[in-house]
Amino acid sequence: MSARVDITLTVNGERVTRSVEARRHLIDFLRLDLGLTGSHAGCEHGVCGACTVRVDGEIVRGCLVLAASLDGAEVTTIEGLTDSGEVADLQEAFVLRNAAQCGFCSPGMVMAAADILRHHPQATRAEIREHLSGNYCRCTGYQAIVDAVESTLRARREGAR
Amino acid sequence: MKWPAIGYRRADSLEDLWRIQAEHGAAAQVLAGGQTLLATLAFRLSEPKLLVDITRIAALRGIAAGDGVLRIGALTRHAELARDPLVARHAPLLAEAAPLIAHPAIRNRGTIGGSLAYADPAAELPACAVALEATIIAASARGERRIPAAEFFTGLLETALAPGEIIAAVEVPQATPATRSAIVEVARRSGDYAMAGLALCLKMEGPRVAAARLVFFGVGAGPVLAAGAGAALAGRILNGAAVAAAEAALAQDLDPPADMHGPPEMKRHLARVLVQRALQRFQPEGEAAA
Amino acid sequence: MNEIRTPESIGLSREDLPNSYIGRSVPRPNVAKLVQGRATYTDDVVLPRMLHAAFLRSPHAHARIVAVDASAAMQVPGVVRVFTGHDIAKVCDPWVAVLAHLKGMKSAPQHPLPLERATWQGEPVVAVVADSRAAAEDGVAALAVEFEPLPAQVDMETALAPGAVVIHPELGDNLVFQRTAVQGDVEAAFAAAHKVVEATFVTARHTGVTLEPRSIIADYNRAEDTLTVYHSTQAPHMMQGVFARHLRMEEGRVRVICKDVGGSFGIKVHVYPDEVAVAAMSRILGRPVKFVADRFESFCSDIHARDHRIKGRIAVDAEGKILGFDIDDLTGIGPYSVYPRTSAIEGNQVVNLCGGPYDFPNYRCTTTVVLQNKVPTCQYRAVGHPIATAVTEGLVDLAAHAIGMDPIEMRRRNLVRDDAYPFTSPSGMRFEGLSHHASLEKLLRMVPLARIRADQEEQRKRGVHRGLGFAAFIELTNASPFMYGIGGARISAQDGATVRMDPDGSVVVASGVTEQGQGTEAILAQIVAHGVGVPVEKVRVITGDTQVTPYGGGTWACRGAGIGGEAALQSALALKEQILSVAGALLQASPASLDIAMGEVVDKASGTPRISLSEIGRIVYFRGDTLPRDLAREFVQTRHFITKEYPFAFTNGIQACWVEVDTATGMVKLLEHWCVEDCGRVINPLLVEEQVRGGIVQGLGGALYEHCVYDGEGNLLTTTMADYLVPMAAEMPEIHVGHVETPTKETLLGAKGAGEAGTAGAPAALMNAINDALRPLNAVVTEMPFTPARILRALGTI
């Protein structure tokens, strides 16, 4: 039984090759092997959403993905998402509305919100809440976060006209 | 917790999988979406020696309609189920159920094969499979087997899969104009496992119910087909009296356990409420109970 | 200094001044890094040769530790060492968590790892240190520990009865603390009352669930004999003292550093045995040791809170005037009182706070605090207030209903009048100035009462049950030494700030209060910018490093703004004075004729800019030869502040909660929520509102969802986030927040605290709303959390 697996994947646009223990989940791979500490583990059983990252274009729970299974995959973390500028307007809305307090949920929350911006640009307030229903935040009570997503969606719709 | 030491192999085809299984025997555990299996690793509740990743096996993917059935590959993700036009058209119950499962990030990875194989008693898809009279296509090195959904769930977290067998696909009879289906559940928070849920499938004959399959989840060791409630509806017009008869029959159909949410009486009561609310959708105007 | 400073003279009430940041919703500079993934939490820190700790935790509620066999564990790849309680005790002294002013309080000595007995399921018993967390856990799995299970005490109602398991025989019984407050004559008042209403309330044991788990890296450097601890804590100076004292080191050789902290809520202000064990292990190994609690161990080792059963009675006269409250509170803590704040404070608060908003003559309230073989409990956001408010407001509503009076009218007749201050409550709490009536009136302007009542009636005809509930509350902030210090605890009620100006005119403030997301650093920057006269972007804030900041108390009991902020303001004003003295010398003008605005020294009367701060900086730091010889030129000032007049700065507020109860399923839907709060002078309205919202949701969580459930043997059943339910976005309501400002006169700033008000009132408002919805069905619920099962039971459905 080989305990280590060689993988080559793209992380935030960069090709990386590593030999990983089979039991390492994606979050630990990002944090410990690549130094990308923006992704967080809050429960390690897929419930809190702090670990939400993008794999092959889709949001997933990083704590429920084996790093070893990601050979050939494309991973985007909060660092890469930020550098790309894809959600700069959303992040600015978070700042303006204080939609982050301690910030521990924020990377996962921004990832989940980015998914709404991408796939549900017409989302209503209730739909925004529903889409974020898998991301735990203890500090904000969620309203400011919903406000930030809603205002970003509105601005994008208005900007597109 | 960090996962215990495990091995990892990827199977690129079914033949590859049978070879790996032959080599490692019971130590080989199949890994699909991983949303349940990997969480159990985190609890150190299971200690598989080797995880065999089947997510690249093409034969397990794809959704196709033909010959009156909808064939759904075992690797179909819940998110795909929720948005696929063939599913929406031919098995609307599944399209309605998928968004109830957990949250978007989980739905992007979790698979129908995994959900059925794991058979959580509070899960939606097993109940839907039984309600739809689906057939589970099981595959192993020895060949294929066709298992009716009603016979597939054999106990708490137990299925009819033999050692080494995996679910390859699920076949669902296509919905017809006479089909009515609904899924309703009571869950504390969006995405939670239901305290009680009901997946139902009706075949209508004009204004009357020709056949009714009411399958509950969260109220027993697995999906519970409420045969008495179904029989109480057969041949009837869906009015208040029919609904009441179905509710009354539940007393014989269900024997719920207590759980963290409440005593057995609570699940019995919720089951009755679910029957009312699910059938309300199909009752003629003016008949719907307040 | 010639001029006596007042809030008016320093422009605190003048929003037109360019850098009058007080009262402005300035966005927090911290947020950018948080949403970009560039924060640094303790677990993000990696040190050379760092090791990782994992713990074997007791599977039993109560058990003798018979034997520990580490031989197999030591063979596990990556494992470096195994530590038992005896190993740790060689370098670490135990502690006892009592406070002298809580008369008669008792608790047993607690070691980081126990020597003989485990007394709660989840107690850390054996530690494994390895080169990775995974390897350390493998080591734990390979330990062979023999336990002899013992009978456990898991029912607070029987903890003092004959036959109880006395957890620490040397203490004699399980009684930790008991206190009764009496005012007037409750017996006589109740006997003669027009109406007496009684109810039993239960607030369920629940916990904080900070998303960043408890995290610590202890780094003992043998060459320097220093201990550096990176700690996700609210009170670094307190922890510096704790580590030093118990590890027998000089305080000056211990340094505690707080990186970004992912939520605290009181959970991270306590001393945890596993964390002290980590420091001891580093001391022994001479290498850094990291420990991050995972979520499963968080549930069985983070402090729990609010495990109370309260019997309450209220007596009213025919006009609805409250004659008295008679309350009996019982609370089950863990097997040890938690160090150093003690686990008797929550019960003590219930005694101090019941009846809080009201003016009534007779009071009797007893708290009985007993030991249990369950997870230890201690202060958690709003400490005691949610309980006292639920009991008080629940009884007031029940009494109003019993005499057929509108609940708002009942409150109008009994809330302490806004002109009655200073006022001392029947429980002895001194209030400087509150605004119960102004807050109520403001709330009633925010809540569309008529529309809601009309809707309620309309919906009832259709069998839909909606309800509106109110809860007035008081909330303790800015604690003085009267809370902990007088009891002998080395918990600092004072705080300090050092403010300096650097050559380019930028300003740095180092403060003893800390940041966990509430915005401490943002408001410190606003206050200092205001005090000195610079743009807020020119102010850098340093918190959370005991070697660098003035000695302070950290953040708890909402003291950041009121105490930390006051120290920052006073030191900023002192720096401004210093700068103007030098400017006066440079400009040959009297300092009193000058002011500083947006980084420029200006003529006070005309506003004309005279010289920039960067120019003054250049001269002072690089051309000191051009200044008068004896001119004092230290552009750095430190001030410390402590409250003097009042033991606490009480705040007040009132909340309204609108719900729909599905009486068929027992499910509660939160429709909308309102809160008016008075935290004194508001420094940043946006931050206050967000604290209130977050606090409300946290309070709603405890009342609707959250419960640490035990079975009869002391096994904790809620061990994952799938069984322990926290509030998520889809179920939470829109929350409207309004402000009333009654500044405290104790400080220039006038700020009281705001962080806990939301949590204090939310459970009561929710309970009253549910009961308002259920009233036509003759159902009442008083036991939290208000699960569907409880509501269906109250309705008689099951």
Side-chain angles (χ1 to χ4, degrees):
Chain A
M1 217 99 9
S2 65
R4 299 195 85 88
V5 178
D6 291 331
I7 52 173
T8 297
L9 64 158
T10 307
V11 180
N12 297 331
E14 274 175 39
R15 191 110 168 266
V16 302
T17 298
R18 292 287 190 280
S19 175
V20 294
E21 261 198 303
R23 64 165 158 177
R24 180 151 286 188
H25 56 59
L26 174 56
I27 297 299
D28 275 352
F29 174 68
L30 293 169
R31 294 176 57 79
L32 301 175
D33 286 277
L34 303 182
L36 288 163
T37 56
S39 302
H40 300 147
C43 74
E44 284 185 306
H45 51 286
V47 180
C48 76
C51 66
T52 307
V53 290
R54 212 184 257 173
V55 173
D56 294 332
E58 307 255 326
I59 52 167
V60 301
R61 301 289 205 227
C63 74
L64 295 182
V65 174
L66 274 134
S69 73
L70 292 179
D71 189 51
E74 239 183 77
V75 176
T76 306
T77 69
I78 183 68
E79 291 94 336
L81 185 65
T82 300
D83 288 345
S84 76
E86 181 188 319
V87 291
D89 51 348
L90 175 72
Q91 288 165 313
E92 196 183 316
F94 265 63
V95 172
L96 279 174
R97 292 170 183 279
N98 207 52
Q101 292 188 24
C102 83
F104 204 77
C105 77
S106 300
M109 192 69 77
V110 169
M111 276 285 169
D115 200 59
I116 300 174
L117 297 179
R118 235 190 204 193
H119 296 299
H120 306 278
Q122 307 296 328
T124 62
R125 206 170 164 82
E127 285 165 343
I128 294 169
R129 281 184 179 273
E130 178 62 37
H131 280 293
L132 297 179
S133 63
N135 285 77
Y136 173 51
C137 172
R138 192 48 137 178
C139 299
T140 66
Y142 305 105
Q143 192 166 327
I145 296 172
V146 177
D147 288 345
V149 177
E150 194 184 32
S151 70
T152 305
L153 284 175
R154 193 181 312 124
R156 284 191 179 191
R157 285 196 295 267
E158 276 159 23
R161 278 202 234 116
Chain B
M1 280 188 234
K2 300 303 172 187
W3 302 341
I6 49 173
Y8 173 86
R9 286 279 295 274
R10 168 170 291 150
D12 292 311
S13 66
L14 285 174
E15 290 66 42
D16 212 11
L17 176 59
W18 311 146
R19 263 196 302 279
I20 296 169
Q21 282 181 335
E23 194 187 323
H24 296 284
Q29 163 94 54
V30 156
L31 170 69
Q35 301 303 277
T36 302
L37 175 60
L38 299 181
T40 66
L41 290 187
F43 304 148
R44 291 205 178 204
L45 274 184
S46 60
E47 310 240 344
K49 292 289 174 282
L50 177 69
L51 293 180
V52 186
D53 186 342
I54 59 170
T55 57
R56 305 277 179 102
I57 300 179
L60 302 177
R61 289 207 297 268
I63 300 175
D67 293 333
V69 295
L70 183 70
R71 185 185 165 102
I72 302 170
L75 288 178
T76 304
R77 313 274 186 183
H78 303 318
E80 290 171 311
L81 220 51
R83 61 177 181 246
D84 189 279
L86 289 176
V87 175
R89 179 141 163 249
H90 298 296
L93 181 60
L94 296 179
E96 198 188 335
L100 297 174
I101 303 171
H103 303 287
I106 304 263
R107 295 198 286 273
N108 283 337
R109 300 288 288 194
T111 64
I112 185 166
S115 177
L116 297 179
Y118 190 68
D120 191 296
E124 289 86 355
L125 294 183
C128 291
V130 175
L132 292 170
E133 294 188 274
T135 304
I136 316 290
I137 318 294
S140 72
R142 299 175 293 285
E144 243 185 36
R145 271 206 303 153
R146 296 176 64 85
I147 310 167
E151 292 162 31
F152 185 76
F153 304 99
T154 55
L156 182 62
L157 303 179
E158 276 172 26
T159 69
L161 289 178
E165 220 172 12
I166 64 163
I167 298 178
V170 183
E171 261 180 28
V172 176
Q174 289 181 14
T176 72
T179 309
R180 305 280 179 277
S181 63
I183 180 165
V184 286
E185 63 180 45
V186 184
R188 292 298 316 271
R189 305 167 306 176
S190 171
D192 280 352
Y193 278 120
M195 294 193 291
L198 168 61
L200 79 76
C201 197
L202 306 174
K203 299 247 183 300
M204 305 300 289
E205 218 165 58
R208 293 181 183 276
V209 175
R213 290 179 72 77
L214 280 66
V215 184
F216 288 90
F217 51 100
V219 302
V224 179
L225 174 65
L233 291 174
R236 297 185 71 150
I237 290 184
L238 261 183
N239 53 23
V243 173
E247 283 181 53
L250 286 179
Q252 261 62 53
D253 288 330
L254 302 182
D255 183 21
D259 68 8
M260 296 265 290
H261 297 293
E265 311 88 83
M266 179 159 134
K267 288 193 191 283
R268 283 190 201 280
H269 168 75
L270 290 178
R272 289 193 291 272
V273 174
L274 288 171
V275 165
Q276 258 180 47
R277 292 190 177 176
L279 291 176
Q280 216 163 331
R281 228 188 270 191
F282 310 114
Q283 284 175 260
E285 284 293 336
E287 284 284 353
Chain C
M1 172 175 75
N2 302 317
E3 190 201 322
I4 293 175
R5 289 192 302 236
T6 64
E8 292 69 37
S9 78
I10 60 172
L12 273 184
S13 35
R14 289 191 54 197
E15 303 250 320
D16 57 317
L17 296 179
N19 41 247
S20 58
Y21 290 105
I22 312 296
R24 287 217 205 139
S25 292
V26 180
R28 287 169 58 211
N30 296 29
V31 179
K33 71 175 174 183
L34 301 177
V35 296
Q36 294 182 23
R38 307 311 290 258
T40 306
Y41 299 91
T42 299
D43 190 33
D44 300 339
V45 175
V46 175
L47 299 177
R49 302 189 70 224
M50 189 174 73
L51 296 170
H52 300 258
F55 293 91
L56 182 140
R57 293 179 179 276
S58 172
H60 305 287
H62 197 188
R64 203 166 64 80
I65 304 162
V66 176
V68 176
D69 181 357
S71 49
M74 287 300 295
Q75 298 307 309
V76 169
V79 170
V80 167
R81 189 110 161 223
V82 174
F83 293 88
T84 65
H86 292 279
D87 298 323
I88 305 282
K90 290 192 182 109
V91 302
C92 186
D93 294 325
W95 54 81
V96 179
V98 293
L99 286 168
H101 66 302
L102 298 179
K103 298 266 171 290
M105 184 175 182
K106 59 189 198 280
S107 182
Q110 184 178 11
H111 288 264
L113 301 181
L115 304 184
E116 277 155 25
R117 271 185 308 142
T119 51
W120 84 84
Q121 187 190 58
E123 183 173 9
V125 176
V126 182
V128 175
V129 175
D131 60 10
S132 72
R133 170 70 187 216
E137 289 190 30
D138 293 343
V140 168
L143 287 169
V145 180
E146 196 190 326
F147 289 101
E148 179 201 323
L150 300 168
Q153 182 59 40
V154 295
D155 180 358
M156 65 170 105
E157 302 282 356
T158 61
L160 301 179
V165 174
V166 176
I167 297 174
H168 299 284
E170 71 275 20
L171 296 180
D173 58 26
N174 290 322
L175 181 64
V176 171
F177 175 68
Q178 190 168 58
R179 180 183 153 227
T180 302
V182 170
Q183 176 76 245
D185 186 343
V186 153
E187 295 297 340
F190 276 67
H194 169 70
K195 199 82 180 181
V196 171
V197 168
E198 64 183 84
T200 299
F201 301 86
V202 173
T203 58
R205 182 178 263 259
H206 53 283
T207 185
V209 199
T210 58
L211 189 53
E212 180 209 24
R214 295 185 296 108
S215 311
I216 185 170
I217 306 173
D219 182 11
Y220 176 70
N221 182 320
R222 194 163 281 137
E224 297 187 325
D225 190 26
T226 56
L227 175 68
T228 303
V229 185
Y230 296 83
H231 198 183
S232 184
T233 180
Q234 298 168 226
H237 284 103
M238 183 193 85
M239 291 311 303
Q240 174 191 18
V242 167
F243 289 128
R245 212 151 45 252
H246 293 278
L247 292 175
R248 308 164 195 154
M249 291 179 71
E250 284 169 32
E251 228 170 84
R253 293 187 172 282
V254 177
R255 177 181 183 183
V256 178
I257 298 171
C258 303
K259 308 299 290 183
D260 291 307
V261 174
S264 54
F265 318 111
I267 305 298
K268 293 177 180 172
V269 81
H270 305 292
V271 171
Y272 285 91
D274 47 26
E275 294 174 4
V276 178
V278 167
M281 295 191 284
S282 177
R283 180 92 171 76
I284 292 169
L285 293 168
R287 283 169 75 171
V289 178
K290 174 188 272 190
F291 168 65
V292 176
D294 68 30
R295 188 53 57 191
F296 315 115
E297 28 184 7
S298 298
F299 281 118
C300 65
S301 65
D302 284 2
I303 56 106
H304 291 181
R306 317 216 217 282
D307 198 357
H308 289 246
R309 183 274 292 139
I310 315 102
K311 293 184 182 155
R313 300 194 307 151
I314 183 174
V316 296
D317 71 15
E319 275 74 55
K321 283 289 290 169
I322 299 171
L323 300 173
F325 285 94
D326 184 19
I327 294 169
D328 181 51
D329 169 68
L330 173 67
T331 176
I333 63 171
Y336 302 99
S337 166
V338 174
Y339 187 60
R341 292 169 140 76
T342 84
S343 308
I345 290 288
E346 191 178 82
N348 198 47
Q349 294 278 66
V350 174
V351 174
N352 285 338
L353 303 168
C354 279
Y358 298 110
D359 188 357
F360 57 93
N362 303 290
Y363 185 66
R364 180 171 61 193
C365 183
T366 300
T367 187
T368 305
V369 181
V370 298
L371 298 174
Q372 303 273 281
N373 289 113
K374 293 180 177 176
V375 174
T377 68
C378 213
Q379 278 70 304
Y380 166 46
R381 196 175 198 173
V383 191
H385 291 72
I387 303 160
T389 307
V391 171
T392 302
E393 289 298 81
L395 288 173
V396 166
D397 253 28
L398 289 171
H401 177 65
I403 62 172
M405 180 171 284
D406 173 68
I408 293 172
E409 181 56 29
M410 179 97 181
R411 284 166 175 87
R412 276 217 183 87
R413 294 189 184 194
N414 289 284
L415 289 170
V416 175
R417 286 173 37 165
D418 289 354
D419 61 2
Y421 298 93
F423 182 90
T424 300
S425 77
S427 61
M429 298 294 101
R430 291 175 51 217
F431 307 134
E432 179 196 3
L434 301 177
S435 61
H436 289 297
H437 288 272
S439 297
L440 170 59
E441 294 317 313
K442 177 136 199 170
L443 185 76
L444 294 176
R445 289 195 293 278
M446 291 169 63
V447 177
L449 199 52
R451 176 163 67 74
I452 287 177
R453 290 295 185 206
D455 173 78
Q456 184 180 40
E457 212 177 291
E458 199 48 48
Q459 297 290 340
R460 268 183 183 146
K461 293 181 193 140
R462 300 176 43 227
V464 174
H465 298 272
R466 296 185 170 173
L468 183 66
F470 296 92
F473 59 91
I474 55 173
E475 170 62 51
L476 166 167
T477 74
N478 295 354
S480 70
F482 276 86
M483 188 152 191
Y484 296 115
I486 60 169
R490 289 174 72 93
I491 291 170
S492 191
Q494 60 82 49
D495 226 286
T498 300
V499 180
R500 73 164 199 265
M501 191 195 95
D502 283 346
D504 67 344
S506 64
V507 173
V508 178
V509 50
S511 164
V513 294
T514 53
E515 172 78 62
Q516 298 89 39
Q518 65 278 86
T520 309
E521 292 182 354
I523 61 167
L524 288 173
Q526 285 176 250
I527 290 166
V528 167
H530 181 101
V532 177
V534 298
V536 71
E537 306 80 50
K538 296 286 271 181
V539 180
R540 288 272 134 344
V541 182
I542 300 173
T543 63
D545 186 335
T546 59
Q547 196 159 90
V548 167
T549 71
Y551 196 96
T555 297
W556 48 276
C558 311
R559 66 194 295 278
I563 298 179
E566 181 67 11
L569 179 63
Q570 292 190 6
S571 53
L573 292 171
L575 177 63
K576 177 176 176 177
E577 215 173 278
Q578 179 75 66
I579 294 169
L580 290 182
S581 151
V582 170
L586 284 174
L587 300 171
Q588 299 190 326
S590 97
S593 72
L594 300 170
D595 199 356
I596 308 179
M598 295 307 255
E600 302 266 342
V601 173
V602 303
D603 188 72
K604 196 183 222 157
S606 65
T608 312
R610 300 291 304 276
I611 184 173
S612 71
L613 292 189
S614 56
E615 179 58 12
I616 296 180
R618 184 188 71 80
I619 294 167
V620 163
Y621 286 109
F622 306 119
R623 293 309 312 273
D625 56 303
T626 62
L627 292 171
R629 281 203 182 187
D630 54 356
L631 180 68
R633 62 193 74 180
E634 295 73 28
F635 282 175
V636 55
Q637 297 288 328
T638 298
R639 293 293 183 274
H640 282 246
F641 177 74
I642 188 170
T643 58
K644 298 185 180 68
E645 190 56 44
Y646 285 87
F648 309 106
F650 273 95
T651 65
N652 66 276
I654 185 163
Q655 297 187 22
C657 181
W658 186 28
V659 304
E660 182 175 304
V661 181
D662 182 343
T663 49
T665 61
M667 294 273 291
V668 174
K669 186 163 168 199
L670 303 168
L671 297 176
E672 213 164 341
H673 204 102
W674 298 261
C675 177
V676 171
E677 61 73 44
D678 182 347
C679 61
R681 187 175 318 277
V682 172
I683 297 163
N684 186 321
L686 175 64
L687 299 192
V688 168
E689 281 167 28
E690 291 307 309
Q691 277 293 285
V692 170
R693 288 198 175 97
I696 286 170
V697 168
Q698 201 161 11
L700 292 173
L704 198 53
Y705 295 113
E706 300 182 44
H707 194 177
C708 298
V709 180
Y710 277 89
D711 70 12
E713 272 75 59
N715 295 308
L716 182 63
L717 302 178
T718 47
T719 56
T720 75
M721 292 198 67
D723 342 288
Y724 186 95
L725 307 180
V726 290
M728 305 295 278
E731 288 74 38
M732 289 303 108
E734 305 291 321
I735 301 168
H736 312 281
V737 182
H739 307 281
V740 172
E741 284 188 44
T742 308
T744 170
K745 296 187 184 66
E746 280 231 64
T747 63
L748 277 177
L749 194 52
K752 303 175 192 173
E756 295 169 270
T759 308
L766 173 67
M767 178 175 70
N768 285 346
I770 293 173
N771 287 330
D772 185 54
L774 299 181
R775 193 150 288 128
L777 304 168
N778 288 316
V780 175
V781 287
T782 54
E783 193 173 324
M784 301 183 203
F786 300 119
T787 58
R790 288 215 166 88
I791 289 176
L792 290 175
R793 231 175 254 125
L795 288 165
T797 306
I798 61 171

